[in-house]
């Protein structure tokens, strides 16, 4: 059976949210939960003895390298011990939330590599988004999240630091494209979201609230209601760029979750100007579920 894979990284507030969201997903889907902690090497760190052979002599150089190797081994042992404690505490939290099948796993590689390897056995990944650091910089983990969302084919739920609350209404970012209609169809068939109130939101330029737009939204509403999976479905059109106007709407409407597709623009456009997906992952005040 495919699992819910939740990634934790020792950020207490974010990890708590990730565990609680993952527990909720596991119970909704009737799937086992696996808690994953990845120990990543710090890239670009060179040994301080690398260029000192001529200055201190070959023998001293080798002695220093041996000591540095010992320190690295000690750091690795401590990191694994800390990871084991972290996973044990996370397992206890998930079990107290009512999840009966909880496993733990530790990997020593990059986050993207670890999740790519786990894709065949994963139904949904749950990761945590961290607050911005001083100067508006994003922590490294958040850059890793972007890489994961771009590379994996499984759905990814990105939790915020806010404590988990039972879902009251989910919002779907809808642009009327064929990809957006596929997204709506996926939501309509998903046992994870069945029965939850839904609002479709189309953010576009001035004058976009017209007959054609309303027709697209009506088709999407009908798809969500088909089969009785969702009864409370509504839609709205707002003027502006999605990454600029959607976050404020989500705050005003007290949304519980934003659902959107992954990277609808071409790869060249993503590289040059970024994408709506990336911008909303960073700015959404509520957790984001990214579907393909």
């Amino acid at each position: 059976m495919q699992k819910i894979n939740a990634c934790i990284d020792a950020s207490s507030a974010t990890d708590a949210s990730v565990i609680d969201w993952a527990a909720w997903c596991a119970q909704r889907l009737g799937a086992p939960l696996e808690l994953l902690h990845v120990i990543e090497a710090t890239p670009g760190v060179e040994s301080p003895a690398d260029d000192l052979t001529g200055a201190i002599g070959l023998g001293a150089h080798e002695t220093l390298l041996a000591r540095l190797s010992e320190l690295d081994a000690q750091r690795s042992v401590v990191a694994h011990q800390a990871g084991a404690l972290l996973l044990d505490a996370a397992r206890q939290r998930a079990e107290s939330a009512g999840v009966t099948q909880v496993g733990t796993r530790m990997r020593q590689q990059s986050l993207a590599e670890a999740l790519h390897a786990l894709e065949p056995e994963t139904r949904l990944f749950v990761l945590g988004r961290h607050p911005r650091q001083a100067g508006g910089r994003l922590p490294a983990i958040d850059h890793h999240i972007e890489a994961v969302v771009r590379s994996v084919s499984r759905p990814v739920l990105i939790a915020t630091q806010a404590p988990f609350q039972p879902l009251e209404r989910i919002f779907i970012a809808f642009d009327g494209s064929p990809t957006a209609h596929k997204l709506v169809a996926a939501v309509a068939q998903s046992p994870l979201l069945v029965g939850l109130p839904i609002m479709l939101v189309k953010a576009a330029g001035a004058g976009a609230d017209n007959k054609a737009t309303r027709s697209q939204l009506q088709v999407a509403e009908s798809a969500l209601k088909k089969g009785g999976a969702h009864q409370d479905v509504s839609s709205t059109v707002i003027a502006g760029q999605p990454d600029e106007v959607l976050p404020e709407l989500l705050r005003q409407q007290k949304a519980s979750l934003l659902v959107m597709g992954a990277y609808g623009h071409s790869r060249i456009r993503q590289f040059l100007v970024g994408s709506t997906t990336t911008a909303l992952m960073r700015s959404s005040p509520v957790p984001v579920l990214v579907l393909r």
Side-chain angles (χ1 to χ4, degrees):
M1 180 183 292
Q2 288 186 317
K3 306 172 184 177
I4 308 300
N5 251 306
C7 306
I8 55 176
D9 68 346
S11 173
S12 57
T14 303
D15 280 352
S17 179
V18 167
I19 297 163
D20 293 346
W21 271 98
W24 179 82
C25 292
Q27 291 172 301
R28 292 277 294 190
L29 295 172
L33 171 60
E34 182 141 283
L35 301 161
L36 172 68
H37 177 58
V38 175
I39 300 173
E40 291 194 295
T42 304
V45 177
E46 299 180 356
S47 167
D50 284 344
D51 299 320
L52 297 180
T53 304
I56 63 176
L58 181 58
H61 177 264
E62 291 178 343
T63 300
L64 182 55
L65 284 179
R67 291 177 180 174
L68 289 171
S69 180
E70 291 174 5
L71 287 174
D72 286 341
Q74 292 172 8
R75 291 190 191 99
S76 179
V77 169
V78 171
H80 280 78
Q81 290 174 341
L85 292 173
L86 176 69
L87 287 169
D88 186 59
R91 177 186 54 77
Q92 293 180 37
R93 185 181 183 97
E95 289 176 344
S96 68
V99 184
T100 56
Q101 294 178 277
V102 185
T104 61
R105 186 179 302 196
M106 199 176 331
R107 302 289 286 262
Q108 189 161 2
Q109 58 189 142
S110 75
L111 179 64
E113 289 173 340
L115 299 195
H116 182 71
L118 295 173
E119 245 190 298
E121 62 188 65
T122 300
R123 187 168 184 177
L124 169 71
F125 290 113
V126 184
L127 294 83
R129 193 188 78 200
H130 297 62
R132 288 179 179 271
Q133 298 173 336
R137 292 184 297 111
L138 287 171
I141 184 68
D142 285 3
H143 293 293
H144 295 335
I145 288 175
E146 292 174 21
V148 166
V149 173
R150 290 179 188 274
S151 62
V152 300
S153 59
R154 296 290 186 263
V156 179
L157 193 155
I158 304 161
T160 64
Q161 272 201 325
F164 173 81
Q165 297 289 338
L167 273 66
E168 296 183 3
R169 182 175 297 275
I170 65 175
F171 280 56
I172 299 178
F174 181 84
D175 64 5
S177 67
T179 300
H181 284 285
K182 290 180 181 179
L183 172 66
V184 167
V187 172
Q189 298 168 10
S190 172
L192 179 66
L193 304 174
V194 65
L196 294 173
I198 293 176
M199 175 171 279
L200 292 153
V201 184
K202 181 169 183 178
D209 190 358
N210 51 40
K211 185 176 180 179
T213 296
R214 289 295 173 179
S215 177
Q216 290 176 344
L217 289 168
Q218 287 174 5
V219 170
E221 287 185 39
S222 297
L224 288 167
K225 292 178 180 178
K226 187 176 181 180
H230 300 278
Q231 296 299 322
D232 185 353
V233 182
S234 57
S235 61
T236 187
V237 181
I238 54 176
Q241 294 300 314
D243 55 307
E244 296 175 357
V245 296
L246 269 176
E248 183 57 31
L249 178 68
L250 295 171
R251 278 187 284 265
Q252 291 176 354
Q253 297 289 332
K254 297 181 179 179
S256 299
L257 180 70
L258 173 65
V259 182
M260 62 182 182
Y263 301 101
H265 298 315
S266 70
R267 292 191 179 274
I268 292 177
R269 181 170 173 78
Q270 290 173 35
F271 178 75
L272 293 176
V273 298
S275 73
T276 300
T277 304
T278 297
L280 283 172
M281 283 195 303
R282 292 180 176 181
S283 62
S284 172
V286 301
V288 175
L289 176 61
V290 183
L291 302 178
R292 290 191 179 278

